[in-house]
């Protein structure tokens, strides 16, 4: 990876801590990826993402309070770090 390019910032949102830990282990093992936000539900994610730059949101579809289905793609309140090769945050849901 080019030393001048920041790693891809990832947010993990899942109500199961063990699932988040597993994803974090895999993601953080890659030099061009970094988990910058973890949240246990959609409401907490909104709070965390309001102040953080992320490129990818990995979110569970079934959680208490607010899940990945209720949170439409592209509606996160986070400022995006612009890269020439990426668009606003991708949202990926897991089951």
């Amino acid at each position: 990876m080019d030393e001048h390019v920041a790693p891809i910032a990832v947010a993990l949102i899942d109500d199961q801590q063990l699932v988040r830990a597993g994803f974090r282990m895999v993601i953080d093992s890659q030099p061009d990826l970094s988990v910058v936000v973890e949240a246990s539900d959609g409401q907490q994610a909104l709070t965390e993402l309001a102040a953080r730059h992320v490129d990818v949101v990995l979110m569970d579809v079934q959680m208490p309070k607010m899940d990945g289905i209720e949170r439409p793609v592209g509606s996160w309140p986070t400022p995006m770090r612009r890269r020439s090769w990426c668009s606003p945050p991708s949202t990926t849901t897991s089951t």
Side-chain angles (χ1 to χ4, degrees):
M1 185 175 104
D2 184 356
E3 293 176 14
H4 297 77
V5 177
I8 296 168
V10 179
L12 296 178
I13 306 161
D14 195 299
D15 58 327
Q16 297 180 38
Q17 194 279 328
L18 191 58
V19 171
R20 290 194 317 270
F23 277 124
R24 176 181 275 278
M25 187 182 320
V26 172
I27 291 167
D28 283 344
S29 73
Q30 302 303 307
D32 58 345
L33 299 172
S34 178
V35 174
V36 297
V37 171
E38 279 193 46
S40 59
D41 62 60
Q43 293 289 355
Q44 182 185 11
L46 289 175
T47 301
E48 297 290 329
L49 291 171
R52 301 301 296 263
H53 295 281
V54 299
D55 299 307
V56 177
V57 176
L58 180 62
M59 186 174 196
D60 191 358
V61 296
Q62 294 182 333
M63 292 183 296
K65 297 185 184 175
M66 181 187 299
D67 59 34
I69 301 296
E70 294 176 70
R71 192 80 223 154
V73 174
S75 63
W76 294 104
T78 181
M80 297 306 299
R81 180 176 58 229
R82 293 290 179 201
R83 298 178 189 234
S84 60
W85 51 267
C86 81
S87 55
S90 300
T91 301
T92 304
T93 55
S94 62
T95 55

